[in-house]
Amino acid sequence: MAFCHPIFASSNQPIFSPNKCSAILGVKLIPEHAYWRCHSKNHFTIALKQNIHISKNGKGRDALQIRHAKASEEVKREVVSKARQNANHGLSMVDSIQRLGIEHHFEEEIEAILKREQLMLRVHSHQGNDYQELSEVALQFRLLRQEGYYIHADIFDKFWDSKGKLKQTLCDDIYGLIALFEASQLSIEGEDYLHEAEESSRQYLNTWLSRYHDHPQVKFVADSLRYPIRKSLSRFTPTILQLENKGWTSSLQELSKIDTEMVSSLHLKEISAVSKWWKDLGLAKDLKFARDEPIKWYMWPMACLPDPRFSEARIELTKPLSLVYIIDDIFDFCGSIDELTLFTEAVKRWDMAAKEQLPDYMKGCFKALYDITNEFAFKIHIKHGWNPISTLIKSWIRLLNAFLEEAKWFASGHVPKAEEYLKNAIVSTGVHMILVHSFFFMGEDITEETVTLMDEFPRVISTTATILRLCDDLEGDQDVNRDGNDGSYLKCYMKEHPGVSIEQTREHVTQLISDTWKRLNQECLTETNPLPSSFTKLCLNAARMVPLMYSYDTNSPSKLEEYVKSLLYSGGMQSIPEDQTIVS
């Protein structure tokens, strides 16, 4: 839902109209035949016009797996050996592995290195810190916080002057500034020094970029500012590694290339499975007005669950995710308030008999929702011994209530207050519903306590949904004053505060996003989070999705679109991307 519909809106009062995605990631792709009704952002469609060819060369696959195992063992030996010799070398290797998105192969080694580092800090406090450079301290801080360890920000005290500012002697330390900028992205509420560090390091690095256009490290600096590690997905963003240990560079590079090839082949198989499932379901034929984009829907679990072990989860999560988009289109493009209320009440009853009260065009969708959710719950019960059907139904009811609220706003011409809009909009993103399904399918730490949290709206999910909604509203609504149809928090806020300019509103939203990231960082610390770390990382990946999923300001495709198209056009035999470079 969004403002403002071109047919019904008056010139001075925008109203809600069917364009703002009430779907996962808070973004909507408009069906081509509905384009006249609403203004579309620069979204994309990937059409699967022919069958996917998947190589069944068993010998080639086996040879690839043998090469992968060999390269993996070589890297493991180097990691263990170098980490024992020098703690800083060990951390550098962990950083390189994580930047390449292959850390799932080294979970035990990484955990051991970071646990040892955290223990040393706890025992010796910051003794020895005087001999460490800014880049080393910042890397230590970032890697430990990334893994959920709370490391106090006073680890940086020696780098501040008497006024709490970064010492001037450090303003030309490019690697130190980049490391500090990256570390500052993991700040939590109340850490004012880290906020100051972020602003200072960003300013110094931008000044450096303006002076040294031809320097060989320009791309490294620019990419670090544009794609901070904390807010990026490593497999789909430029990766430039600064490696001092040249001895293990070839093994790491070989492993990264082989791993990328194997994962790409796996993704292609999953795309084939999802496409076949969607075709067999038949909803695209029954609901001509709705979106028909199974590959695009698959991209969300593909990016958020990168570990190859979650192949089945990626396929299964695409199923409820597809229904979010289809039901959103029903609420946006087709249903009257009475019909949408009937559909919502039918879901609350969760009885196939309720289908008979629905209009014909809704019956197939309701049956699909009923069947897919029950099948999903049955698979969870078989895999993990817990029947989640009650929690799954509650998540759908919560989502449909939010959809219905937006539909009523549109029908009545009501423009909500900004806070009212956001409270509903973080639910209508669909984030809670899909993350609840994800939690159960991953199957880790399913207990009475964690299920009770899923029945509610845990903070790690609400902060994720808030980031997605506000980022999409901010980036997708570049010009609030134009005669467009795309509604957002910005429009609600400006209507509520008539004297506020668009620049002030954008600054306000940017600050809200920054504050929400700090709350999400807090939730990711293991000491305060009762949910499993694997689920927390999934939430974090979801918060990183918007800039990868959509390209707002250019005609170029998004990073994920580029990746998926390369899979389809090259048959899944992907090599390491050109911009994922190793610099020794």
Side-chain angles (χ1 to χ4, degrees), residues 3-69:
F3 328 103
C4 70
H5 197 290
I7 299 176
F8 303 107
S10 65
S11 59
N12 59 358
Q13 184 180 0
I15 60 176
F16 270 78
S17 75
N19 178 26
K20 173 61 62 183
C21 170
S22 306
I24 191 74
L25 300 180
V27 187
K28 179 171 187 174
L29 179 66
I30 304 304
E32 290 183 10
H33 58 274
Y35 187 84
W36 64 272
R37 298 182 61 187
C38 40
H39 171 77
S40 172
K41 302 188 188 81
N42 182 28
H43 299 322
F44 60 86
T45 300
I46 300 176
L48 189 63
K49 297 182 179 179
Q50 58 186 10
N51 293 331
I52 298 173
H53 173 70
I54 299 175
S55 173
K56 296 183 179 180
N57 185 343
K59 291 183 178 180
R61 183 173 60 250
D62 291 343
L64 194 65
Q65 290 174 344
I66 292 172
R67 288 171 55 207
H68 186 279

Side-chain angles (χ1 to χ4, degrees), residues 95-104 227-241 256 260 303 306 541 544 548 559-560 576-577 579-581:
D95 180 40
S96 298
I97 289 168
Q98 291 179 341
R99 284 174 182 259
L100 289 172
I102 55 177
E103 64 273 14
H104 47 275
Y227 305 108
I229 293 168
R230 183 60 170 179
K231 299 174 182 177
S232 303
L233 290 169
S234 56
R235 277 195 178 271
F236 307 102
T237 50
T239 303
I240 299 179
L241 306 183
S256 183
T260 300
N541 284 343
R544 296 162 163 166
L548 289 176
K559 290 288 184 182
L560 289 181
I576 190 169
D579 60 356
Q580 192 160 299
T581 311

Side-chain angles (χ1 to χ4, degrees), residues 133-143 156 159 176 179-180 183:
E133 297 180 357
L134 175 59
S135 59
E136 295 171 336
V137 174
L139 178 62
Q140 182 185 49
F141 176 87
R142 175 171 65 80
L143 292 181
F156 293 106
F159 302 110
L180 180 61

Side-chain angles (χ1 to χ4, degrees), residues 7 29 71 135 202 211 214 323 346 378 389 564 575:
I7 299 176
L29 179 66
S135 59
R202 188 198 306 273
R211 292 177 180 173
D214 299 324
L323 295 181
F378 179 74
I389 189 64
V564 171
S575 61

Side-chain angles (χ1 to χ4, degrees), residues 109-120:
E109 291 77 14
I110 290 174
E111 182 180 5
I113 290 171
L114 295 181
K115 273 190 174 180
R116 185 164 58 247
E117 195 71 22
Q118 191 261 353
L119 181 61
M120 293 295 290

